[in-house]
Amino acid sequence: MSKFKIIPGESSTIVREDLKNYGTFAPVNDGCSRLPTTGIYENIVEGERDNTTGEIVYLFIGLLSDTFRIIQDIKDSEEFQVEHHFEVIDDDGSVDKEFNGTLFDAIVFLKNEGLRYIRR
């Protein structure tokens, strides 16, 4: 089970904790490749897949409002159903909460609770 960080906000990031490069227009991490920008991925701004395991290791979601469309796109996709451990990171860099679940669960979390993390 991989460990991921969820960094919520108006734009949100879900990233495997060992990855160094993430955020809009960051270079692709070693051993990874970008997700396509069509099909079920079209509402995800950026994402990466581990070339060895094939698992998704990074997602950048532009606007919180895009989460509904993403959920509709990925709800039947097995690659979003792999179990991971997630830590939700607060503004000050501390862990606000933790849970075990899937990437699908993490995106549902952002849809349901993401607004309370928007920096003011």
Side-chain angles (χ1 to χ4, degrees):
M1 182 180 304
S2 297
K3 190 173 183 181
F4 279 72
K5 295 185 283 188
I6 298 175
I7 306 163
E10 286 185 56
S11 296
S12 299
T13 301
I14 302 170
V15 61
R16 193 173 66 194
E17 92 173 330
D18 65 314
L19 296 185
K20 305 287 186 255
N21 302 323
Y22 56 88
T24 308
F25 307 117
V28 175
N29 288 281
D30 291 339
C32 295
S33 57
R34 292 255 191 244
L35 293 177
T37 56
T38 58
I40 65 170
Y41 312 105
E42 74 178 309
N43 290 301
I44 297 169
V45 175
E46 284 186 351
E48 291 182 20
R49 174 185 319 282
D50 183 305
N51 291 334
T52 304
T53 65
E55 290 184 352
I56 294 172
V57 294
Y58 162 63
L59 296 171
F60 180 76
I61 298 168
L63 297 174
L64 201 52
S65 60
D66 290 340
T67 56
F68 179 76
R69 285 190 296 276
I70 293 168
I71 289 167
Q72 294 302 307
D73 292 344
I74 68 169
K75 67 182 178 196
D76 297 323
S77 175
E78 288 184 24
E79 68 185 332
F80 286 88
Q81 300 302 326
V82 178
E83 287 282 323
H84 301 290
H85 180 78
F86 294 93
E87 293 182 344
V88 181
I89 307 301
D90 212 344
D91 283 344
D92 63 3
S94 65
V95 175
D96 183 53
K97 61 176 60 176
E98 297 182 56
F99 64 93
N100 291 332
T102 65
L103 286 171
F104 181 82
D105 297 330
I107 294 169
V108 169
F109 168 84
L110 286 171
K111 180 185 179 308
N112 293 335
E113 297 190 42
L115 282 176
R116 72 182 197 94
Y117 290 93
I118 293 179
R119 285 105 179 117
R120 294 170 199 233

